[in-house]
Amino acid sequence: MFGKKRESNIGIPKGRSAAAVKIVLALAILAVLVGNSYYSIQEEEQAVVCTFGSPKAVTTPGLHFKIPFIQTVTKVNTTIQGFNIGYRDGTDADDGTDDTIEDALMITSDYNFIYVDFYAEYRVTDPVKALYASENPAVVLKNIAQNCIRTTIGSYSVDSVLTTGKNEIQSNIKQMILDKLETYDIGIQLVNITIQDATPPTTEVENAFKEVETAKQGKETALNNANKYRNEQIPNAEAESDKILQDAEAKKQERINEANGQAARFNSMYQEYIKYPEVTKKRMFYEAIEDVLPDVKVVIEGEGGKTTTMLPLDSFVTQESSDISGTDSASEDETQETQEE
């Protein structure tokens, strides 16, 4: 009896323990299912949901649901990212190699060696293609960029790369990379690529190019000063030219008016001449004498010593003429007295 009672006492806890284990397992499974049935997307990322090998992009930020153990979610960073070409800042060493010199050393169209450093920025535009079109799209982009950089640098002279051609080189490289990325279609897009630095391979050459750059800057300064002086002088010259033209136009109009006045005066005199030819001739003669000899007084005497006319008629009639007339009168009186005797 003791043995049977002991077995019955042991069997009761075993049944309760099994039920408890089942409940715990059920709760654990439920927790796993619930934990794998949703995911969240941040503003700076997108997700790729894969269902039985069929990927689909989810671009809306927030909380999303998925089928546990059937759908898998991979999140992709869509912010602008970048990498260096030709130099390292301590963070670009993912592959553990140091190819700084090889990436930066290039040859120009005039067969000169030069070190050129670039920084490229990109972002993911299609998360599905970024995950499945290539193993590592950033590496593909870097290889494309290196190819385009070397091709473009090889078509420019070393002087252009170091001085005046940087903006044009950057623009050409960017366009070439964009065209190739469109062909490869790997889900990423180049945002920008810039030249960080360009230096000759030796110190002597670098110093020589610095002197050349200084000379070019001096040339540009001189040209700017010359253009400034020209821009200052041209308005002054134009103003002076306008003044001369205006004065000439005024003089022209004055001469025209004077000529018109003289013509009108001549026509008026001609009309008078037609009416009284002899009187007009004498008047014109007197006026001409007055103009030619303005300070000369002319006295015309008639027969017998008598004063008959003074020329010109108006301007020559002065006090002196009156004196002369008085003298002549006295002479006439004396003559008359002599005749009477």
Side-chain angles (χ1 to χ4, degrees), residues 157-317:
S157 65
V158 65
D159 187 50
S160 298
V161 177
L162 289 173
T163 56
T164 59
K166 291 183 179 179
N167 292 331
E168 183 178 349
I169 291 172
Q170 291 177 170
S171 177
N172 292 340
I173 292 174
K174 181 178 180 180
Q175 187 59 47
M176 190 180 298
I177 294 174
L178 290 175
D179 294 339
K180 289 194 175 184
L181 283 178
E182 185 177 356
T183 302
Y184 283 99
D185 195 17
I186 56 176
I188 61 176
Q189 181 185 31
L190 179 71
V191 176
N192 194 21
I193 184 167
T194 57
I195 297 177
Q196 298 296 308
D197 193 16
T199 57
T202 61
T203 305
E204 292 78 6
V205 177
E206 182 178 1
N207 293 333
F209 274 105
K210 286 182 179 179
E211 293 178 358
V212 172
E213 182 66 18
T214 302
K216 286 187 175 181
Q217 291 177 356
K219 173 186 175 183
E220 293 178 357
T221 301
L223 289 175
N224 293 334
N225 292 334
N227 291 330
K228 179 182 178 182
Y229 178 77
R230 182 189 65 179
N231 295 332
E232 291 176 351
Q233 294 300 317
I234 287 178
N236 295 334
E238 291 178 348
E240 185 67 20
S241 174
D242 292 339
K243 183 177 180 300
I244 294 174
L245 291 175
Q246 292 175 0
D247 293 342
E249 188 67 25
K251 193 69 174 178
K252 168 188 172 183
Q253 193 62 38
E254 181 182 352
R255 292 291 182 87
I256 291 175
N257 295 335
E258 182 180 354
N260 291 332
Q262 291 179 357
R265 180 172 175 270
F266 177 81
N267 291 331
S268 176
M269 292 175 62
Y270 181 70
Q271 295 298 327
E272 294 296 327
Y273 175 79
I274 293 175
K275 295 178 182 178
Y276 309 102
E278 294 299 328
V279 175
T280 306
K281 285 181 181 179
K282 289 182 179 181
R283 179 181 176 183
M284 292 176 65
F285 173 76
Y286 296 155
E287 290 178 351
I289 292 298
E290 183 179 6
D291 292 337
V292 174
L293 304 172
D295 297 329
V296 176
K297 297 179 180 180
V298 179
V299 177
I300 299 177
E301 296 181 354
E303 296 178 354
K306 296 183 178 180
T307 300
T308 58
T309 307
M310 295 176 58
L311 296 175
L313 296 176
D314 294 332
S315 60
F316 285 0
V317 178

Side-chain angles (χ1 to χ4, degrees), residues 52 121 123:
F52 297 113
E121 296 176 309
R123 64 183 180 89

Side-chain angles (χ1 to χ4, degrees), residues 41 53 97 134 197 330:
I41 301 178
T97 60
S134 63
D197 193 16

Side-chain angles (χ1 to χ4, degrees), residues 84-104:
N84 306 318
I85 300 177
Y87 73 98
R88 295 192 183 279
D89 56 6
T91 60
D92 188 21
D94 297 335
D95 53 3
T97 60
D98 187 4
D99 53 356
T100 303
I101 297 179
E102 289 75 8
D103 289 347

Side-chain angles (χ1 to χ4, degrees), residues 106-114 153-162 209:
M106 304 178 191
I107 187 170
T108 60
S109 61
D110 50 359
Y111 304 105
N112 285 297
F113 288 99
I114 188 173
I153 294 296
S155 62
Y156 284 85
S157 65
V158 65
D159 187 50
S160 298
V161 177
L162 289 173
F209 274 105

